[in-house]
Amino acid sequence: MPTTAPTTPRDLTRDSDLVRAARRQDVGRTPVWFMRQAGRSLPEYRAVREGIPMLESCMRPELVTEITLQPVRRHGVDAAIFFSDIVVPLKAVGVDLDIVPGVGPVVAAPVRTRADLDRLPELTPDHVPYITDAVEQLTRELGPTPLIGFAGAPFTLASYLVEGGPSKNHERTKALMHGDPELWADLCARLAQISGAFLRVQASAGASAVQLFDSWVGALSRADYVAHVQRHSAAALAAVDDLDVPRIHFGVGTGELLDLMGEAGADVVGVDFRVSLSDATRRLGPSYAVQGNLDPALLFAPWPALERRVREIVEEGRQAPGHIFNLGHGVLPDVDPDVLTRVTALVHECSTRS
Ligand SMILES: Cc1c2[nH]c(c1CCC(=O)O)Cc1[nH]c(c(CCC(=O)O)c1C)Cc1[nH]c(c(CCC(=O)O)c1C)Cc1[nH]c(c(CCC(=O)O)c1C)C2
């Protein structure tokens, strides 16, 4: 009898529509998941999080598993997004920060000098044993449904570290980038190591795809992206080169950067709602799948208007080399979860290939 290699969690998801679409292969129907589908709008999420601070909940594998599975059970989406946060690896290496309800990540001592950078260590898997545990537990429970791991990209992480918290204009970040390009490059190189290692921990433990969130990089020009950011995001994505996981690269307001974000080493480029999938596909060419791009605010529109837009996006996606249906940015907290379930069913129904 021929011996067969043991089945890994990733083997079980290799033929899923999400992984196939990311690789620009034929799919049975368009796969769909929603950024920020875990947490946010779900009452069952609020119930299990009751009294547990955000960062603490990210370090409890049982809780991470439950919260990650909730939207998969409820909506029937084609992938789970790992419940964590982009600042978890920074906390893990010792940065004094907290996630403040209603605000977001707040850093006690912002990183602005060489001495500050010298206090930021590299990330090793030993810093995040609870991530490995949670991913292993999750992939066992998910079976054929892929788990997407993620990390924040160097620019977006740098913005939180340099500004000390959420920022509208990223002024201190841009001042550092242009005022001390050498320190900026060293900071981003360190953050690329941290991001890449965080992606690698998740992919090694069984995640089937990874997404690099460069949420705020749309604040940059093409010239600044090329000079100061692209190679660092490329280094983060390259950390999983040998693990055979598709890589999704996403940012908000990045219509002008899509091709450069693809070149950084993505298989799939995330598209926000400001650019049509057709334009995005034209800008990207045949070598990339696209992900997106329903405006999250449209989930509040009357169903006929929402339905029309969902059908349009599915049609536009058919012209792309591969399409993963998603929002153009994260689920808004007040959305009716039943609308997400209905959108999932509609995408599946109107995209089923005969
Ligand atoms: C993928 C993800 C993230 N955060 C969380 C997840 C888990 C999965 C999911 O919710 O589906 C949980 C996650 N992260 C947070 C929460 C809310 C905190 C709570 O419930 O107490 C949750 C559920 C807190 C958080 N963390 C962050 C913010 C934004 C602040 C700002 O405007 O600058 C906020 C509010 C930083 C953050 N975190 C993340 C991003 C990239 C995605 C995006 O652009 O939305 C960013 C920019 C990524």
Side-chain angles (χ1 to χ4, degrees), residues 22-41:
R23 297 205 159 114
R24 294 172 282 127
Q25 297 165 339
D26 292 341
V27 291
R29 58 191 193 182
T30 303
V32 47
W33 69 281
F34 302 105
M35 287 185 279
R36 307 298 303 274
Q37 68 189 15
R40 290 268 166 132
S41 65

Side-chain angles (χ1 to χ4, degrees), residues 25-317:
Q25 297 165 339
D26 292 341
V27 291
R29 58 191 193 182
T30 303
V32 47
W33 69 281
F34 302 105
M35 287 185 279
R36 307 298 303 274
Q37 68 189 15
R40 290 268 166 132
S41 65
L42 299 187
E44 59 268 37
Y45 165 73
R46 294 198 196 105
V48 296
R49 272 282 319 279
E50 187 86 54
I52 308 174
M54 176 63 193
L55 282 172
E56 191 190 324
S57 61
C58 294
M59 293 171 191
R60 289 166 58 165
E62 297 286 331
L63 197 52
V64 170
T65 301
E66 170 57 22
I67 295 172
T68 302
L69 291 174
Q70 284 176 346
V72 180
R73 289 189 203 115
R74 187 191 255 265
H75 305 308
V77 284
D78 295 275
I81 177 80
F82 187 63
F83 182 78
S84 191
D85 191 81
I86 59 169
V87 298
V88 165
L90 299 178
K91 179 82 178 174
V93 297
V95 176
D96 184 1
L97 64 84
D98 199 6
I99 294 183
V100 178
V103 178
V106 175
V107 179
V111 175
R112 292 174 189 162
T113 66
R114 176 69 53 184
D116 297 335
L117 172 58
D118 289 342
R119 286 192 293 272
L120 188 65
E122 295 199 344
L123 180 81
T124 66
D126 307 338
H127 285 113
V128 285
Y130 45 86
I131 299 289
T132 301
D133 289 352
V135 171
E136 285 178 354
Q137 193 172 327
L138 263 167
T139 50
R140 269 197 305 275
E141 299 213 15
L142 280 162
T145 303
L147 175 70
I148 302 172
F150 74 92
F155 175 81
T156 291
L157 292 179
S159 171
Y160 286 108
L161 285 180
V162 175
E163 305 290 339
S167 165
K168 208 159 146 230
N169 299 314
H170 312 280
E171 50 268 62
R172 286 175 184 275
T173 311
K174 291 184 181 183
L176 179 66
M177 176 188 288
H178 290 277
D180 191 345
E182 209 172 307
L183 175 58
W184 169 260
D186 291 347
L187 171 61
C188 285
R190 175 57 47 86
L191 292 172
Q193 189 284 328
I194 292 173
S195 270
F198 196 62
L199 292 177
R200 196 172 173 85
V201 164
Q202 295 167 79
S204 302
S208 294
V210 293
Q211 175 155 326
L212 191 67
F213 279 99
D214 210 349
S215 301
W216 312 137
V217 80
L220 296 184
S221 66
R222 285 178 69 86
D224 282 350
Y225 186 77
V226 170
H228 299 291
V229 172
Q230 190 185 34
R231 67 184 181 282
H232 304 294
S233 297
L237 288 166
V240 293
D241 258 350
D242 58 323
L243 294 180
D244 195 30
V245 287
R247 291 166 286 195
I248 309 167
H249 197 180
F250 169 77
V252 181
T254 44
E256 296 298 321
L257 305 178
L258 292 176
D259 57 325
L260 301 173
M261 292 177 73
E263 277 171 20
D267 301 283
V268 183
V269 178
V271 181
D272 85 352
F273 49 87
R274 294 167 184 86
V275 181
S276 72
L277 287 187
S278 311
D279 283 343
T281 300
R282 245 191 316 278
R283 291 176 196 187
L284 283 161
S287 306
Y288 303 96
V290 293
Q291 176 175 281
N293 72 339
L294 180 69
D295 184 340
L298 270 189
L299 295 169
F300 295 81
W303 178 253
L306 174 55
E307 177 177 2
R308 201 174 327 122
R309 186 68 196 120
V310 169
R311 287 182 184 275
E312 276 167 14
I313 292 170
V314 170
E315 274 315 304
E316 282 181 68

